[in-house]
Amino acid sequence: MARAHTLAVVSFALLAAVTGGGCSTGTTGSGAPHASAGTGSAPAPTESNPPGDIPDNQAFVAFRGSDFTVRVPEGWARSTQGATTVFTDKLNAVRISGTNAAAAPTVGAVTNEVVPRLRGQVPKFAQPQVSQVGRKGGQAVLLRYQGDSAADPVTGKVVRDAFERYAFHRGGHEVDLTLSGPVNADNVDPWRIISDSFTWR
């Protein structure tokens, strides 16, 4: 009898261990359920736009300078210093600068004067390409190049940026329109909207 009683106790203990351990989800100290080992946490949701991509539904509004108008992304932060106005959002920027210039910019002048100046100002300046282009607002000299962004004040992260700098000129006044964003961002269409919207008044 003693042996039969012992076997019955052991069998009951094993049954309790199997049924109790296999069905319980477990709780935290507060009584809330926690994930069992091996399930892990749910993956973070995929961003609708990769870092630096301007959304396809981005709206644009008119920015009016002294003698020109250009459309810029609506809702971007705006800052002005002297004759330069900058619109920024996350990793992208639109920079608009005006200056007096008796002669219209040329491919040669931008190559020989602007490129060396930017090489000394932009960290890791590289791959300059200068060309004459037509936009709806008229002819412009386009300078494409790459460079490093300033370090993020919080994370210290530096982004490799692509730049498009358009130099428009009329009647002794030059306007430089510079568009910038991460190298891998797909901002071809938004940048075209902005550069094509430039018009003299």
Side-chain angles (χ1 to χ4, degrees):
M1 289 294 291
R3 184 181 179 191
H5 177 72
T6 301
L7 289 174
V9 171
V10 172
S11 299
F12 179 77
L14 289 172
L15 181 62
V18 171
T19 57
C23 297
S24 173
T25 59
T27 60
T28 63
S30 62
H34 62 75
S36 59
T39 59
S41 58
T46 303
E47 294 185 19
S48 58
N49 294 286
D53 273 18
I54 299 173
D56 292 338
N57 62 352
Q58 173 67 57
F60 295 84
V61 294
F63 169 72
R64 292 176 174 81
S66 59
D67 56 355
F68 68 90
T69 301
V70 64
R71 294 172 67 194
V72 297
E74 184 178 30
W76 285 22
R78 173 179 171 176
S79 61
T80 301
Q81 184 173 5
T84 299
T85 300
V86 182
F87 297 87
T88 57
D89 180 70
K90 299 181 180 68
L91 303 176
N92 296 291
V94 176
R95 181 184 181 92
I96 307 164
S97 298
T99 185
N100 294 324
T106 63
V107 171
V110 171
T111 300
N112 297 325
E113 299 171 17
V114 177
V115 169
R117 184 172 73 246
L118 291 176
R119 195 180 299 278
Q121 297 174 345
V122 178
K124 297 184 180 179
F125 178 91
Q127 302 181 26
Q129 299 176 1
V130 186
S131 61
Q132 186 86 23
V133 296
R135 287 295 183 264
K136 292 180 179 179
Q139 293 293 305
V141 176
L142 169 60
L143 166 60
R144 288 190 171 98
Y145 60 96
Q146 292 186 10
D148 281 359
S149 70
D152 185 281
V154 177
T155 65
K157 184 177 181 180
V158 173
V159 176
R160 189 65 176 168
D161 283 338
F163 296 81
E164 288 187 2
R165 177 187 182 275
Y166 296 84
F168 296 91
H169 183 276
R170 190 184 73 170
H173 187 206
E174 179 177 323
V175 175
D176 298 327
L177 172 65
T178 303
L179 315 173
S180 62
V183 167
N184 293 324
D186 182 12
N187 289 332
V188 173
D189 291 339
W191 285 7
R192 183 72 187 213
I193 289 173
I194 296 170
S195 62
D196 253 347
S197 71
F198 181 91
T199 56
W200 295 103
R201 297 202 317 269

